[in-house]
Amino acid sequence: MTDRITATYDIESPVGVQQAAEVLAGEQSTGTFVRLAAETDELRDRSAARIEGCVVTGESPAPSLPCRIKGDRYERGQVTISWPIATMGPSLPNILATVAGNLFELAELSAIRLLDLHLPREVIDANPGPRFGIAGTRDLMGVPEGPMFGSIIKPSVGLSATETAILVRDLAEAGIDFIKDDELQSSGPACPLEDRAKEVMAVLNAHADRTGKKVMYAFNITGEIDEMSRRLDLLEKLGATCAMVSLQSLGLVGLRALRERSPLPVHGHRNGWGLLSRSPHIGISFPAMQKLWRLAGADHLHVNGIGNKFTESDETVAEAARAVQARISDEGPAFTALPVFSSGQTAWQVAPSAEAVGNEDFLFCAGGGIMSHPDGPAAGIRSLRQAAEAYRLGCTAESHATENPELSSALTAFKRK
């Protein structure tokens, strides 16, 4: 269906899956709670949403979510709905309003979760996608192969610009590839972005002049559109190589505006994602949402981490990481992005992360896993590289650790997850 957008949902309903699908399709296209005189058969044929598939998968005696309509049973199933691209065009915010708009509030639904999206070539061609992606990020970092290793400024907030630069100097000298601001740190009065950027880039530029390696630092520029534009100008002037934003705060329109303006890779942090994803009964799956973020221009996307400190299972994390590297569509540009593993990561999770995506094209961020290594940050970074080496050699981290003391110390110091 080259002229239609398709969305697949998991739904539950007191009126039955088929009837609920019909209500959903009507509400999100030409219909409302009563039949309108203007909603002619010709108009419906041209513009209405269409049910492409409907499968009942089970039922429950009680609703999964509060539901105004009461039923004797609540039928569960998967439905696939399609819309003609002509009704909303290739506009990402309007596509999102169509496939994830008022449908979450429908009385005929006691659960609904958007599972996946299929987007036609017209949508792919009309949106910019990542400017740098995996290959461009590798070039800027100077890491032609293997996982890219990074860290996060901790404490998340509280450090001054000078204190941040001192920590950055220590991490750069330890051999890090990438450092990022925490999402809580943008440009508060205690640590203004302008001051932080000037001090951090003075450290990183001096390090690059001395060693030939320029560590990538993702400065959190999240703010109003004009603020972000000014911050990009500053970063470009200082020689920075990455800009970070909070995706949920910006929205698709803000992200697209940033992509069009930014000469730097866009590091997309998904903080707040649990609001959309934690419940199995309502929300949006990451494989669906990340397609829109990539189309809008995100070069890097956080996917949580294996053995993370949050609630997502390893299977969910692996699915998210693979989705970021997969083609958005069978046609047009692939628009692949760089998956970013983070959240309580240590040497134990390097090989499982590579196994999750089936390659080493990922950014692996560790805070305590680097800075709390018993022998210091440099040993922490070496332990991660040694864990990656073990994966490439096809041996376990434990066996490889017998000849690599940094890895051995990391495996002992950090709990296996």
Side-chain angles (χ1 to χ4, degrees):
M1 294 183 291
T2 58
D3 62 345
R4 299 183 76 85
I5 290 170
T6 303
T8 300
Y9 304 89
D10 180 55
I11 70 171
E12 180 187 273
S13 175
V15 300
V17 167
Q18 178 66 40
Q19 184 177 338
E22 292 169 1
V23 172
L24 191 163
E27 175 68 25
Q28 293 304 111
S29 62
T30 62
T32 184
F33 68 100
V34 294
R35 182 68 182 261
L36 302 173
E39 189 187 358
T40 63
D41 290 340
E42 188 275 332
L43 184 145
R44 286 172 61 87
D45 289 342
R46 181 178 72 248
S47 302
R50 196 164 69 201
I51 300 172
E52 304 292 348
C54 185
V55 179
V56 175
T57 58
E59 63 178 57
S60 172
S64 296
L65 296 171
C67 186
R68 183 170 58 82
I69 297 178
K70 306 301 180 184
D72 296 329
R73 63 189 181 92
Y74 296 80
E75 197 173 65
R76 195 100 187 194
Q78 261 193 27
V79 299
T80 299
I81 311 291
S82 74
W83 293 262
I85 188 66
T87 63
M88 82 291 288
S91 162
L92 297 182
N94 288 306
I95 289 172
L96 186 61
T98 299
V99 303
N102 283 342
L103 50 87
F104 292 110
E105 300 98 309
L106 288 171
E108 288 82 2
L109 295 170
S110 53
I112 178 166
R113 183 173 173 83
L114 173 61
L115 300 179
D116 200 9
L117 283 174
H118 175 77
L119 301 168
R121 178 69 182 269
E122 182 177 343
V123 175
I124 310 301
D125 289 345
N127 288 282
R131 187 188 299 275
F132 292 86
I134 296 170
T137 299
R138 283 193 178 281
D139 288 344
L140 287 171
M141 277 191 200
V143 183
E145 59 184 6
M148 291 153 270
F149 292 108
S151 194
I152 309 98
I153 296 297
K154 299 291 182 180
S156 305
V157 294
L159 298 179
S160 67
T162 299
E163 290 167 332
T164 301
I166 291 170
L167 178 56
V168 167
R169 180 200 63 200
D170 293 344
L171 288 169
E173 291 177 354
I176 202 81
D177 299 319
F178 172 90
I179 309 169
K180 63 176 282 295
D181 283 332
D182 189 87
E183 69 274 12
L184 300 177
Q185 178 67 272
S186 181
S187 192
C191 188
L193 177 65
E194 182 175 0
D195 294 347
R196 187 168 73 255
K198 287 178 179 177
E199 296 212 31
V200 166
M201 289 314 303
V203 167
L204 294 182
N205 287 334
H207 179 80
D209 290 342
R210 188 173 66 256
T211 66
K213 178 179 174 62
K214 191 163 197 177
V215 176
M216 178 176 282
Y217 191 106
F219 291 95
N220 183 8
I221 67 168
T222 303
E224 303 298 332
I225 297 293
D226 59 339
E227 286 180 320
M228 292 193 295
S229 183
R230 291 194 299 270
R231 290 167 183 172
L232 283 171
D233 288 340
L234 173 65
L235 295 184
E236 186 177 17
K237 179 180 177 181
L238 294 173
T241 56
C242 194
M244 171 183 145
V245 289
S246 295
L247 297 168
Q248 301 276 66
S249 300
L250 257 63
L252 293 169
V253 173
L255 179 59
R256 170 73 182 264
L258 176 65
R259 160 61 173 85
E260 298 288 12
R261 169 67 186 80
S262 179
L264 312 177
V266 177
H267 185 88
H269 198 295
R270 66 177 200 175
N271 54 85
W273 176 245
L275 181 66
L276 296 179
S277 68
R278 187 167 185 175
S279 172
H281 306 302
I282 193 166
I284 303 175
S285 76
F286 186 79
M289 191 66 210
Q290 59 87 30
K291 291 181 180 180
L292 302 181
W293 282 332
R294 284 160 61 194
L295 283 170
D299 293 286
H300 310 160
L301 284 169
H302 280 241
V303 297
N304 206 340
I306 301 296
N308 62 80
K309 64 184 180 184
F310 299 122
T311 63
E312 288 186 322
S313 68
D314 289 351
E315 292 74 18
T316 299
V317 173
E319 178 187 46
R322 290 193 297 269
V324 170
Q325 289 187 349
R327 297 182 64 89
I328 290 180
S329 170
D330 292 337
E331 296 183 292
F335 284 161
T336 55
L338 178 70
V340 182
F341 290 100
S342 65
S343 173
Q345 303 296 282
T346 72
W348 282 110
Q349 287 107 311
V350 174
S353 299
E355 290 165 356
V357 292
N359 57 61
E360 294 184 308
D361 288 330
F362 58 88
L363 174 57
F364 186 92
C365 288
I370 289 174
M371 289 179 272
S372 294
H373 190 283
D375 302 314
I381 294 168
R382 283 196 293 271
S383 76
L384 300 180
R385 299 197 191 284
Q386 290 162 1
E389 184 179 53
Y391 170 77
R392 286 192 292 275
L393 293 172
C395 62
T396 65
E398 296 95 322
S399 63
H400 199 55
T402 59
E403 298 178 357
N404 293 277
E406 295 88 355
L407 180 56
S408 178
S409 294
L411 298 185
T412 300
F414 304 120
K415 185 177 179 181
R416 184 171 191 169
K417 298 179 181 182

